[in-house]
Amino acid sequence: MAKSDKKPGTRRDILNRLKSNGCSDATTLAEVLGVTPMAIRQHLYDLQSEGLVEARAEPRPVGRPAKLWYLTEAADRYFPDAHAELAVSLIDTIRSSLGENALQALVLERSRHQTVLYRNAMEDAPDLRRKLEALAEIRSREGYMAGVEETAEGLVFVENHCPICAAAKACTGLCAMELQVFADALGPGYDVSRTDHILAGARRCAYHVTERETVDG
């Protein structure tokens, strides 16, 4: 049976796939989503005409360069940003009315709450991977499109979307504390380092997590 060119939801599926996995060519998207490359290209051209995707050429050892598609900033509206205008307004109001110290106190209190919530979610997991999978589940419910990847260097916890991006730009402490929250929630037996950061221009946030070696004394 031939693949359907009119598969419902393909447009949104393309946006979700590019958001979660980064740039991709039409053939790969077609294989993953179960539609024809011609249909995928038509969707991509439609999305491009709306300013939601763009393409760049990537040289290949043999043949013509590959055409890789990626999301533009305009596509951010299709992904949640947790009441961005309200959040930024509240941050500005707290800063102007109560001062920077009060704002930082609120950030610290939020971080303490997150630490307890995430620690409780991970405490029964038997190993690091399952701890991170439990963390990814709860962060995904919060809108971060989180997951766990295994690389040559070990496990990487990734977040493909930041639902508080506007607020984090207005109050950098929200994002700065995230690394510490993950480290505190996992506990002293693990090291966490941020390797990619959305606010620094990366496609996603990523954290390399390793288990500390115990030293017999």
Side-chain angles (χ1 to χ4, degrees):
M1 182 180 295
K3 295 179 180 178
S4 171
D5 288 357
K6 301 294 185 180
K7 183 178 178 182
T10 300
R11 171 191 171 96
R12 183 59 199 239
D13 290 340
I14 291 172
L15 294 175
N16 286 342
R17 187 72 185 178
L18 293 177
K19 182 70 169 176
S20 297
N21 294 79
C23 57
S24 180
D25 61 75
T27 300
T28 300
L29 287 170
E31 291 175 352
V32 171
L33 300 180
V35 296
T36 64
M38 182 180 296
I40 287 292
R41 290 189 183 93
Q42 185 58 58
H43 281 295
L44 287 167
Y45 292 138
D46 289 344
L47 291 168
Q48 185 180 37
S49 69
E50 297 174 38
L52 301 177
V53 302
E54 286 295 342
R56 61 177 174 82
E58 181 179 85
R60 295 294 167 89
V62 179
R64 294 184 298 176
K67 193 172 189 178
L68 299 182
W69 295 87
Y70 60 92
L71 297 181
T72 67
E73 287 187 7
D76 287 347
R77 69 177 183 266
Y78 285 90
F79 302 92
D81 197 346
H83 310 292
E85 290 185 11
L86 175 61
V88 172
S89 177
L90 287 173
I91 288 169
D92 290 342
T93 299
I94 292 169
R95 181 179 280 128
S96 61
S97 300
L98 302 176
E100 190 68 31
N101 288 341
L103 180 59
Q104 294 307 313
L106 286 174
V107 170
L108 287 173
E109 183 58 32
R110 175 180 181 269
S111 298
R112 282 193 287 268
H113 172 77
Q114 287 180 303
T115 299
V116 172
L117 183 66
Y118 300 158
R119 183 184 294 142
N120 290 341
M122 293 187 287
E123 64 180 355
D124 293 330
D127 54 42
L128 176 57
R129 184 180 188 93
R130 294 186 187 180
K131 285 180 184 294
L132 294 179
E133 288 172 348
L135 179 60
E137 182 177 348
I138 193 169
R139 291 287 282 184
S140 290
R141 290 200 299 268
E142 294 173 353
Y144 288 87
M145 297 178 69
V148 182
E149 297 180 358
E150 189 161 355
T151 70
E153 290 75 33
L155 294 174
V156 178
F157 179 76
V158 301
E159 294 181 334
N160 294 295
H161 179 62
C162 178
I164 63 163
C165 196
K169 289 177 181 178
C171 177
T172 56
L174 287 170
C175 210
M177 287 301 298
E178 195 169 70
L179 178 63
Q180 190 61 49
V181 165
F182 293 158
D184 290 344
L186 280 163
Y190 302 93
D191 289 315
V192 185
S193 60
R194 181 187 275 135
T195 57
D196 294 287
H197 193 191
I198 291 174
L199 288 190
R203 180 185 65 81
R204 64 184 188 177
C205 287
Y207 301 85
H208 183 219
V209 186
T210 57
E211 191 167 0
R212 289 180 182 170
E213 295 183 7
T214 57
V215 178
D216 295 332

